């Protein structure tokens, strides 16, 4: 029963360097705001122009790596910017940054192996957070994880 406004920009860039090195960036900056005044069923006041809760202004990732012959390895940085946890914009999640490491080995034209180490620094973060019923609620992100994937019939 209300309107919202969404404005922003997106940027994506890829750079290929000598000897198989590369870099890539993808990111957005956006403002997601309420475009009406109102009240939620729990009594929170929505003000036109306030940020929509759980909508970060920034989302970004950057990768650097090397692709050489049968082996590709890359380091990835992932950013989720700060955002408000409630419609009144009174409680805030500070956002987080994560690092991931990946390596692909093309054993043959048909077989490949990928090793992924997600959340390299084992950072505590919230996959999502909100403020409801008078308290903070966080849905925790995953701890450091190691995956090994084997594929037949092409590259993963």
């Amino acid at each position: 029963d209300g309107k919202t406004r969404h404005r922003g920009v997106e940027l994506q860039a890829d750079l290929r360097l000598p000897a198989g090195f590369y870099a890539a960036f993808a990111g957005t900056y956006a403002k997601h705001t309420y475009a009406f005044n109102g009240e939620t069923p729990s009594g929170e006041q929505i003000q036109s122009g306030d940020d929509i809760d759980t909508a970060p202004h920034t989302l970004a990732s950057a990768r650097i790596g090397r692709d050489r012959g049968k082996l590709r390895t890359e380091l990835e940085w992932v950013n989720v910017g700060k955002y408000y946890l409630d419609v009144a914009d009174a409680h805030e999640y500070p956002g987080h940054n994560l690092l991931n490491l990946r390596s692909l080995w093309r054993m043959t034209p048909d077989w490949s192996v990928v090793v992924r180490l997600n959340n390299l620094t084992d950072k505590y973060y919230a996959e999502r957070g909100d403020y409801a019923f008078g308290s903070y609620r966080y849905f925790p992100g995953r701890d450091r994880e190691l995956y090994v994937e084997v594929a037949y019939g092409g590259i993963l």
Side-chain angles (χ1 to χ4, degrees):
D1 292 332
K3 293 183 179 183
T4 59
R5 177 173 288 131
H6 307 272
R7 297 178 191 253
V9 295
E10 297 180 6
L11 174 68
Q12 181 173 340
D14 293 294
L15 177 64
R16 299 290 169 190
L17 301 165
F21 289 99
Y22 63 89
F25 174 84
T28 65
Y29 176 82
K31 285 276 288 177
H32 306 280
T33 57
Y34 295 106
F36 71 101
N37 294 319
E39 186 175 313
T40 68
S42 65
E44 289 182 283
Q45 295 299 311
I46 298 172
Q47 298 295 316
S48 184
D50 281 355
D51 285 346
I52 295 175
D53 54 309
T54 69
H57 288 205
T58 59
L59 295 170
S61 69
R63 296 176 290 126
I64 57 170
R66 187 172 191 205
D67 194 350
R68 185 107 170 153
K70 294 184 174 198
L71 187 64
R72 178 176 66 214
T73 302
E74 72 179 24
L75 179 66
E76 177 188 43
W77 162 76
V78 177
N79 166 264
V80 174
K82 68 180 179 177
Y83 57 85
Y84 289 106
L85 299 171
D86 58 344
V87 298
D89 290 354
H91 302 90
E92 188 174 81
Y93 174 69
H96 60 264
N97 294 286
L98 300 176
L99 291 174
N100 302 311
L101 184 63
R102 289 186 280 276
S103 192
L104 164 73
W105 175 35
R106 299 172 195 95
M107 296 186 302
T108 71
D110 290 326
W111 286 93
S112 59
V113 175
V114 171
V115 177
R116 293 185 293 131
L117 185 57
N118 293 342
N119 193 2
L120 183 66
T121 60
D122 204 21
K123 181 177 181 90
Y124 292 115
Y125 69 100
E127 192 67 40
R128 188 176 73 79
D130 64 25
Y131 186 86
F133 310 107
S135 64
Y136 291 90
R137 291 190 318 168
Y138 293 105
F139 300 84
R142 300 181 74 93
D143 295 335
R144 181 185 303 129
E145 299 176 303
L146 178 66
Y147 293 92
V148 177
E149 305 167 31
V150 178
Y152 177 78
I155 296 174
L156 292 169

